[in-house]
Amino acid sequence: MIKTRDIPNLLTGARIVFSIAVFLGLAAAAGVLPGQAGAPGAPAQRAVGLWSLAAFVLAAVTDYFDGWLARRWNAQSPWGAMLDPIADKIAVCGAVLA
């Protein structure tokens, strides 16, 4: 059973998943994934780039809401305090490195 106090931590976990998706999408659009036979065509690059942008925006929105909900519901936890900055670094590094 999911409790209200768990929702901010679940959003942080979702942000990590979205950030990894951004990295993989941008790497695929550039054609640098292992086993990839080169960059895809221009329409596919654009589509993957737009999906990566949408995933990055969604990750940013979850970043805002997990902190806001944790403060509003007084649901701060040591797990969230540790995982939130890690999720931020994964998101930024994934977008910069790809």
Side-chain angles (χ1 to χ4, degrees), residues 7-16 18-19 55-71 80-81 83-92:
I7 292 175
N9 289 336
L10 291 173
L11 288 174
T12 300
R15 186 168 26 146
I16 291 173
F18 292 136
S19 300
F56 189 81
V57 168
L58 197 54
V61 169
T62 61
D63 183 25
Y64 171 77
F65 278 112
D66 73 352
W68 182 74
L69 290 173
R71 287 186 299 275
L83 202 56
D84 190 63
I86 292 171
D88 292 339
K89 287 170 182 51
I90 291 171
V92 171

Side-chain angles (χ1 to χ4, degrees), residues 28-44:
V32 295
L33 285 179
Q36 193 174 3

Side-chain angles (χ1 to χ4, degrees), residues 5 8-9 67 69-81:
R5 295 185 52 86
N9 289 336
L69 290 173
R71 287 186 299 275
R72 181 173 169 98
W73 293 339
N74 196 23
Q76 293 97 345
S77 68
W79 179 255

